[in-house]
Amino acid sequence: MAKTNPAFMSGVPELVVLRLLASKEMYGYELVAAIKVVSAEAISLAEGVIYSSLHSLESKGMLRCRQIQSAGRTRYYYRATAKGKKRLQELLNEWDRVSGGINAIIGDSYA
Amino acid sequence: MAKTNPAFMSGVPELVVLRLLASKEMYGYELVAAIKVVSAEAISLAEGVIYSSLHSLESKGMLRCRQIQSAGRTRYYYRATAKGKKRLQELLNEWDRVSGGINAIIGDSYA
DNA sequence: GAATATACATATTAGTTATAGGTATGACAA
DNA sequence: TTGTCATACCTATAACTAATATGTATATTC
């Protein structure tokens, strides 16, 4: 059976996670808040989405994780690996291409 | 059971279809080609996606359809209704909001 | 008369993401 | 000291969209 391609606008949570973790090491809970803040509330991804995404990306070698104890509490800090940054670049290219296409359609009166 | 919200970047095919049919009456096959052309091949939605979308939007009163005979062949021309245009406006707002949020994250070094 | 382009249709599959749970600690207030 | 709230993590399931496969039929072109 031929494998179905992902929906053409999906993968955005992956893009967002990789983008932020390429710049700054963060732990999950912090990342959830950062997405809201940086996007000015435009994007809100629940913890469930982010934690699954982090585990999945780590298992694919896109992220590396280290445990840090802080005030008796354990935090798992993630950052993008070289592989993750390469994947990020692909996703950024995809985003440019597709969002450009959508903007072209939106802008075009086709009159 | 609580209804799940659609994925935050979904609804783009709907946006594209409504946008084009708000400007110009078209039949399905023509629409499929128009999407490719106007987006410079960045977006390619298969016939299956477009025809289902057309039927679904029509059933919701977002599109109106009329049958036209052309060279012994039947074509179903669609255009956006007032309701469809209202929905389009919502989707355009959503697109601006969400794509803006993504661009903010992409652009922000968070350094 | 065979192949290709046009034109429409829909059921199924696949994949992502949303949601709904769950555990556990620290801080602060009543 | 008890209760509540914020922090911090985790996972299984549900829901939804869109991709794919597949089908019909006519017109055109070679």
Side-chain angles (χ1 to χ4, degrees):
Chain A
M1 286 294 141
K3 188 155 118 170
T4 311
N5 289 323
F8 76 96
M9 270 318 288
S10 72
V12 175
E14 188 189 357
L15 165 65
V16 161
V17 167
L18 284 173
R19 176 62 189 86
L20 290 175
L21 297 180
S23 289
K24 187 175 183 282
E25 190 178 45
M26 278 188 268
Y27 58 97
Y29 199 77
E30 185 186 9
L31 184 58
V32 170
I35 290 167
K36 279 186 211 157
V37 171
V38 179
S39 73
E41 311 291 321
I43 296 171
S44 181
L45 296 170
E47 286 173 44
V49 174
I50 294 305
Y51 286 114
S52 318
S53 182
L54 289 172
H55 301 325
S56 159
L57 287 169
E58 190 192 10
S59 80
K60 289 173 191 154
M62 306 287 185
L63 299 177
R64 191 165 302 124
C65 178
R66 63 189 179 119
Q67 219 177 119
I68 292 182
Q69 305 298 332
S70 169
R73 170 168 295 207
T74 305
R75 285 170 175 169
Y76 296 88
Y77 281 82
Y78 294 86
R79 64 184 191 288
T81 61
K83 191 177 175 188
K85 286 175 183 174
K86 201 174 150 226
R87 173 72 179 141
L88 170 60
Q89 198 50 62
E90 287 171 15
L91 291 170
L92 287 172
N93 291 341
E94 261 301 282
W95 169 254
D96 279 353
R97 210 175 61 81
V98 174
S99 67
I102 291 167
N103 285 327
I105 289 171
I106 289 173
D108 195 290
S109 69
Y110 206 76
Chain B
M1 287 294 140
K3 188 154 120 173
T4 311
N5 289 323
F8 77 96
M9 267 322 285
S10 71
V12 175
E14 189 189 356
L15 164 67
V16 161
V17 168
L18 284 173
R19 177 63 189 86
L20 290 175
L21 297 181
S23 289
K24 186 177 185 280
E25 191 179 44
M26 277 188 269
Y27 57 96
Y29 199 78
E30 184 186 10
L31 185 59
V32 170
I35 290 168
K36 279 185 211 160
V37 171
V38 179
S39 73
E41 311 290 321
I43 295 170
S44 181
L45 296 170
E47 286 172 45
V49 174
I50 294 306
Y51 287 115
S52 317
S53 182
L54 254 17
H55 301 325
S56 160
L57 287 169
E58 190 192 11
S59 78
K60 290 173 191 154
M62 307 287 182
L63 299 177
R64 191 164 303 122
C65 179
R66 63 191 178 118
Q67 219 178 119
I68 293 182
Q69 306 297 329
S70 168
R73 167 168 297 210
T74 304
R75 286 171 175 168
Y76 296 88
Y77 280 82
Y78 293 86
R79 63 182 191 288
T81 60
K83 192 177 175 187
K85 285 176 185 174
K86 202 173 149 228
R87 173 72 178 140
L88 170 60
Q89 198 50 61
E90 287 171 16
L91 290 170
L92 286 172
N93 291 341
E94 260 301 281
W95 169 254
D96 279 352
R97 213 175 60 80
V98 173
S99 68
I102 291 168
N103 285 327
I105 289 171
I106 289 173
D108 196 291
S109 68
Y110 207 76

